Amino acid sequence: MRNLRASRQQTLVSLAVLAAGCLAACNEPAVGPSPPTPFELAIEPVHQWSGGEIMLHAAVFDSVTLVPEPADSTGAAGWENLVVRLGGDTLTVRRLHDTTLVAALPHIFSGTYEIEVFIASGSGRVASAPLDIYGLHEPSYWAEISFRENYRITEAIPWPPGNLLSYNEARQAVVVVGLLDGSVNPLPGLHYRSLRVWLQGMLAPGVSYRAGHAVLDLGDTTTPPCTWDIPLQPLEPTACADTAAWRTRNLYSVAELPEEHCLGVHEVWRVGARVLNDKHEELVPADAALLQADFRLAPDGSRAVLLAARSRSNCRCALAGWPVFSGVAQVQYAIADYAQVPGAAFSPDGLTLYVAGDLNFEPDQFVYEDSDGPWVLDARHAADGGLIQRRELAQLRLVYDVLPDPLFPRVYVAGRDYSTRNGVVLVLDRATFEEVGRIRLGWLHRPVGMLVHGGSTGSLFLALGNAGADGELKVVRFDIMP
């Protein structure tokens, strides 16, 4: 189609040049073809998301009668006497009113591009203007933190923005992964002591309410996981290490809360997983839907939620109820709406809870990770779970994660497109949930993912676990609009 559009542009320019040449030949000796006449073109907005729309303003459009041409093999119709191009792409254009056209942008890598408009009228007219496009930064890459037996490889901790804290099987160490370039740097002295190829105990660092801290299991089966002031020294052991359930390959996660409270997800053999607190009280009974669940904390540790999804547990089962925990490690309230919750996050001020959940998947559906939903994005009052607003994500069949932007009033939802099953990131206005951008990844992704904000780098990252034959981490980078 690009070759057809390029040929169309060349034809229009040739017609314009030919017309100019004929006019010159009829009135005076030939002095060469006249170039197309420039006109003033304005673009709105001058910064746009990949795949979005822009408006083209020019007074000359009022005098141009657009002549439609037959639709091509894709069903897209163009104009006989107008071509709008961006790089190697010819854009689909429609008239909004007399002096304004609307052009749909392709899903391309982010950067500064030149929009060119060609009008075959009289001697021909041409104009151009720059446009900044935000979206996919560059092709994705692999980061070397593979860890076999671990579906939760992306359950790492943002450390700080633009980085992940995780375990590395090959180096048997705790590492920081720089998502900007894929660098993997072991933290000095933080090597786990395991006699097997898998870690004995936690398979990912546990979150802490304290900045610069994480709960780590270094594989010593005689010592429970400890909170570390990284990278300086270990602090107290967490009380949520249930020694009665301690054994090789016991999959669980820990969240450290204020005043020595904590939450732990513990596997119960052949039943599922349960949630205990620092007093070893069972807050949530064992359920297969909680296998490989993990925690997300409010910024001050005042609340915690579970990520519990079909793509994590590999279980054809639904949640009996979705709990929200208080900062003193008790169930504060539960929400019955969701069958699975792969993504949840608190707002930077901790007052709002964003939930990307599935309301009703079919438990017998063969494909574990996908669901016909309906999928929704909810904004709730963090204090009591009251619903503020809901947006149905009808265009998704799987959600990876949700992330409110800490710098701009936006929220991002990463998932899998319903029709193509390719990856997509929705950019929504945080106040209204209106879609302001949609970035298509263009390829199929594995079912476990994590969104990480890049802070001052101006980037957003989607880290996808178990994305390769050896369970590598695949990192996709986006440039986000200021």
Side-chain angles (χ1 to χ4, degrees):
M1 185 175 70
R2 287 187 177 183
N3 291 336
L4 177 62
R5 299 296 192 189
S7 176
R8 185 182 303 141
Q9 176 203 342
Q10 293 171 358
T11 300
L12 292 178
V13 174
S14 298
L15 288 172
V17 172
L18 180 61
C22 290
L23 290 173
C26 295
N27 296 282
E28 58 183 48
V31 293
S34 300
T37 304
F39 61 90
E40 293 186 2
L41 175 69
I43 297 178
E44 183 185 359
V46 294
H47 310 289
Q48 182 58 291
W49 297 99
S50 171
E53 289 187 336
I54 56 172
M55 290 187 289
L56 307 173
H57 303 286
V60 70
F61 293 152
D62 188 29
S63 62
V64 176
T65 300
L66 297 180
V67 180
E69 63 180 8
D72 59 23
S73 59
T74 68
W79 306 103
E80 293 284 357
N81 56 339
L82 174 78
V83 173
V84 179
R85 293 184 60 80
L86 183 152
D89 293 291
T90 298
L91 307 187
T92 301
V93 179
R94 70 179 190 275
R95 186 188 287 278
L96 183 63
H97 52 71
D98 292 346
T99 60
T100 301
L101 307 177
V102 177
L105 300 176
H107 292 277
I108 56 178
F109 290 131
S110 58
T112 299
Y113 294 82
E114 197 78 9
I115 292 284
E116 298 175 309
V117 180
F118 299 88
I119 300 174
S121 175
S123 60
R125 296 177 179 271
V126 60
S128 65
L131 172 68
D132 293 327
I133 294 181
Y134 294 83
L136 281 174
H137 177 80
E138 56 189 3
S140 57
Y141 59 84
W142 304 101
E144 180 239 325
I145 60 168
S146 61
F147 199 101
R148 288 181 292 173
E149 307 289 332
N150 183 10
Y151 289 94
R152 301 180 305 148
I153 188 63
T154 58
E155 292 316 317
I157 301 173
W159 200 271
N163 296 275
L164 290 177
L165 183 73
S166 188
Y167 295 120
N168 179 264
E169 179 194 49
R171 306 186 189 196
Q172 293 199 355
V174 180
V175 297
V176 173
V177 180
L179 297 178
L180 196 63
D181 57 8
S183 60
V184 179
N185 299 304
L187 292 173
L190 292 184
H191 290 272
Y192 62 79
R193 300 173 290 279
S194 175
L195 301 178
R196 300 180 182 274
V197 295
W198 52 76
L199 192 63
Q200 297 183 8
M202 292 170 60
L203 294 182
V207 292
S208 171
Y209 74 100
R210 292 182 279 186
H213 292 70
V215 182
L216 299 177
D217 180 354
L218 298 184
D220 183 348
T221 57
T222 63
T223 303
C226 294
T227 299
W228 284 74
D229 179 7
I230 296 176
L232 300 179
Q233 59 183 346
L235 304 177
E236 65 279 357
T238 173
C240 290
D242 185 356
T243 55
W246 187 261
R247 69 173 186 277
T248 301
R249 301 183 70 190
N250 179 24
L251 304 176
Y252 69 94
S253 298
V254 168
E256 184 195 28
L257 303 176
E259 299 181 3
E260 299 184 0
H261 294 294
C262 57
L263 297 166
V265 176
H266 297 259
E267 182 186 19
V268 178
W269 181 245
R270 295 185 177 179
V271 178
R274 59 181 177 171
V275 180
L276 302 178
N277 64 11
D278 46 282
K279 298 177 181 178
H280 286 195
E281 296 171 333
E282 187 176 78
L283 303 182
V284 182
D287 190 319
L290 299 183
L291 283 169
Q292 301 184 43
D294 204 11
F295 297 102
R296 290 288 185 267
L297 296 183
D300 58 357
S302 59
R303 294 180 182 86
V305 297
L306 277 173
L307 299 189
R310 186 177 195 172
S311 55
R312 299 166 179 274
S313 65
N314 248 9
C315 170
R316 300 182 188 182
C317 48
L319 290 170
W322 189 65
V324 176
F325 305 96
S326 67
V328 294
Q330 296 291 331
V331 176
Q332 187 167 354
Y333 56 86
I335 301 172
D337 291 18
Y338 310 114
Q340 57 174 331
V341 178
F346 291 91
S347 61
D349 60 11
L351 299 179
T352 305
L353 174 59
Y354 297 94
V355 187
D358 181 3
L359 297 186
N360 183 30
F361 68 68
E362 172 54 56
D364 293 330
Q365 184 177 335
F366 179 74
V367 181
Y368 284 119
E369 61 268 18
D370 286 350
S371 171
D372 289 333
W375 290 95
V376 295
L377 173 66
D378 287 347
R380 295 182 175 272
H381 294 292
D384 57 14
L387 184 64
I388 302 172
Q389 63 177 320
R390 168 171 290 179
R391 177 189 174 96
E392 185 169 337
L393 304 173
Q395 63 271 47
L396 300 184
R397 65 182 309 135
L398 170 71
V399 167
Y400 297 118
D401 201 6
V402 58
L403 179 69
D405 194 308
L407 303 177
F408 303 102
R410 297 191 288 255
V411 59
Y412 308 104
V413 179
R416 183 180 293 176
D417 182 78
Y418 190 89
S419 58
T420 66
R421 296 193 179 183
N422 292 337
V424 62
V425 174
L426 305 181
V427 185
L428 307 175
D429 180 274
R430 195 189 300 175
T432 64
F433 276 7
E434 291 183 4
E435 183 177 317
V436 297
R438 178 181 301 197
I439 307 170
R440 297 187 183 277
L441 278 62
W443 56 84
L444 179 66
H445 282 304
R446 297 291 181 175
V448 183
M450 181 181 185
L451 285 169
V452 183
H453 198 272
S456 60
T457 65
S459 297
L460 177 73
F461 301 92
L462 175 60
L464 294 149
N466 276 10
D470 296 322
E472 299 100 332
L473 183 79
K474 189 172 188 177
V475 180
V476 186
R477 177 183 171 190
F478 311 92
D479 291 324
I480 52 181
M481 194 180 300

